[in-house]
Amino acid sequence: MIEKLKIKKNENVKENLCQNQFLAILREEFHYNIGTLLFGLLAMFFNYPLNLALRLSNEIDRFNSMGVDYQSFGYTTSHISMAEEKLRYVMENITNGILRGDREAFLMIILVVIAIISARSMFKHLFSKKTTDFYFSQPVSRVKRYMVNYVGGLLIGAICLTVGYIMALLVAAGYHVENIQIYESIKISLGYFVMYALTYTISVVAMIMTGNALAAAGAVLCFFFFFPFVDAIVSGLKAYYLSFYVSEDIGLIYLSPLFIMAEYFDGIASTKEIPLALVRNAGIATVILALTGGFLYRIRPAESCGRAVAFQALKRPIRMLLSITAGIGAMTWVGMLYNDNFIWTVIFVVLGAVITHAILEIIINSDVRALFNNKIEKLVCILAAFSVIMIFKYDAFGYDSYLPDESAVEAVSMDIPYNAFEERWEQKRAVYEYEHLDSRYSDVYWTDYPDVIEDGLIYSEQAIGAVLNIGKKAIEENNTNKTNELEDSIAVRVCFHLKNGDKIDRRYVLSNEAMSGEMEILFSDKEFKTVMYPILTEEPEEMGSFGIELASVSENEQAEKNIVEKSGEANIALPVYPKTQSNQVIGLSFDKNLEMELLDALKKDIMNMKYSDYEDWWDENGYLKKDILYYVTDEAMKINEYNGEDSELMVNHADEYPIFDSFTNVKSVLEKYEIK
C-alpha cells in the first residue's frame, strides 16, 4: 500500500513538472517574441481606441457647429434637445459598430498580418540549422515544443483582441456613451478570434512545410490564394465555353482563410447576426489543420532547414499542380483575348506551364541551372493543362446538353425579362429600425432577400412542361448554331428544382420565335402569373402609390393639370426622374377608393395579359411606345423617406407595368383623370 502511494506521488510530481515545463517554455517564447505582441497591440490601438476616439470627437464637433446654427437661426430648445438625442444615438451606433467590427476592413487586415507574423515568429527556428539543432536537442518532445509554440501564437492574437477591446470600452466610457452592446460584441469578437486562429494555423502549416523565409512566404500566399484562383479559372472556362452556364458558387473559394474571414465580416455587417455555421466550420478546420501541423512538425527532417520544401515527397506534386494551374490560367485570362484561336491557346498554355515550372525549379533547388530540369514533367504539365481546356471546350461532361426528366422535376423557377418579382423583392431588402424620437434616427440594415430563382417556385405541371420545352429548343438551336445567326434572340434563366433536392440552373438563349409559343403557355398559367407578378397577391391594406410615365410628352402638362383638378391638391406622390428626355413620370394622388379601383383593375389586366402583349414596347430609338404604370410598395416608400426623397432610387424600387392595348380595365380607371 505504501509503495502504491509512493508511485502515485511520483507520478503527480512528474505531471506537475511537465506542466511547469510547458509554462516555462511558453514564458520563454513570449520573451523572445515580445516584439510581435507589441506590434499587434499597436495595430489594435489604431483600430479600436484611436479609431473610436477620432470618430466620436468628429461627431461632437459636428454637433457643436450645428448648435451654433440652431441658435443663430432662432430654433427652439426642443430642436436642440432633439439634436442632442440624435448625437447620443449616433455615438452609440459608432461605438457598437467598432466593437462589432462592422465594415471594418482594417480589422481584418490587422488579424491576417498578426497571424502571419505570429506564425513566423513562433516557428522561425525551423529556418536555421543551428537554431533547429539547439531546439531539438533540448529535453522536450517535439509534440510539446509544437504545442508551446502553437499556443503562444494563439495567445498573441487573443491578447491583442482583448486589450484593444478593453481600451475601446474605456474610450467609450470617457465620452459617456450609453447602451453599449457588450455581450453581443464579445460574442462577435470570439468569432474574430476563430478566424484569426484559422489564418494563423494555415500560416503555421506553411512554415513547417518550408525551410526558409522566402519559401514560407510563397507557401502562405499559395494557401491564401490558390483555391480562389482555381475557382476563378473554372468559372472563366465555364462562362467562355459553355453556352448555358450560370455563374454559380463552386465552393473552392471558401478553402481560403481570407475569404472565410471576409464572409464573416460581411455577414456581421449586413445581417447584424453571427454566422454560426461559418464559425463552426472554421473552428473544425482549425482543429484539423492544427493536428496536421503537429504531425508534420514531428516527422519534419532536421536537415531540411534552408531548403524551399521541407518534405522531398511534396516537390513534384507542388511543381505539377502549380504549373498546370498556371498554364490553364494563362490561357483563360490572356488567350481568350484572341477569340479562342487554337494557335494562341497552345502558345499561352505552354508559356504559362513552362515558365511557372522553371521558376519553381529554381526556387526549390536554389540554383538557376535547374531551369531546364525535369523536361518530361514539363511536357506532362502542358498536356494536362491543354486536356482540361479541351474538356470544357467540347463539353465532355454534357453540361449544355443535359436536361432532367420531367418526372424528376418538383418545381421550376424563372427569371424572364418581363417580370416584377425582382423589383418587388428588392424593396424588401431594407429592414428599418425606428428608434427614439424621430424616424430620422433610423438605420438601414441590408439583409439577404428572396431571389426569383431561389424563391419563385412554380409547381404547375403545365409550367414545368413549358420550361422543359424551352430547354429542349435551346439545346437544339445551340447544337445547330442557329441562335448565333439570329439577331432576334432572347435569354431566360431557369432553374429546375428536383425532387431529390438538387438544382439544375441554366441560362437558355434561343430565338424569340421558338420562345414565344412556350411563353404563351406560361402566361396562361395562373401560378406562373402569381409568382412573376406579386401585385396579384397585394392586399388593400398594404397598398403603396401609383405613378405613370407617359409615352407622349405633349400630354404631360395637361395630364398633370387634370390630376391636380381631380385630386384637389398638387401633391405628387411619385416624383421621379424621366428615363428619357421625351418621357416624364407623373405621380398620381388618388383618393383611397380610386387607388383600390386601380389596383383591382391592374390585377384583372395582368391575369388576362398575354406574352404577345410585350411586342413593340420600345421603338427603334429606345423611346417608349406604351405608357408605363408604376406601383411603389410601402417598403419602397420607406426607402425613399430614409434617403431624403431620392426620386431616382424610388423608381428603381417600383414595379413597371406597360399599359398595353389589352389593359382595358386600367385605361378605364385612368380615363377618370382624362389621361389617355
Side-chain angles (χ1 to χ4, degrees), residues 543-570:
M543 283 188 60
S545 299
F546 285 99
I548 186 169
E549 183 175 357
L550 300 178
S552 174
V553 73
S554 62
E555 298 178 0
N556 286 342
E557 185 176 353
Q558 183 59 42
E560 188 168 351
K561 289 181 180 179
N562 292 334
I563 292 173
V564 175
E565 291 174 0
K566 297 286 184 180
S567 64
E569 56 183 4

Side-chain angles (χ1 to χ4, degrees), residues 589-614:
S589 184
F590 290 144
D591 60 50
K592 194 64 177 178
N593 291 332
L594 283 175
E595 282 188 339
M596 293 184 63
E597 187 178 350
L598 184 58
L599 178 64
D600 184 62
L602 185 58
K603 288 182 179 181
K604 291 178 180 178
D605 287 336
I606 291 175
M607 286 304 299
N608 296 326
M609 179 177 59
K610 298 179 180 179
Y611 177 70
S612 57
D613 288 336
Y614 277 102

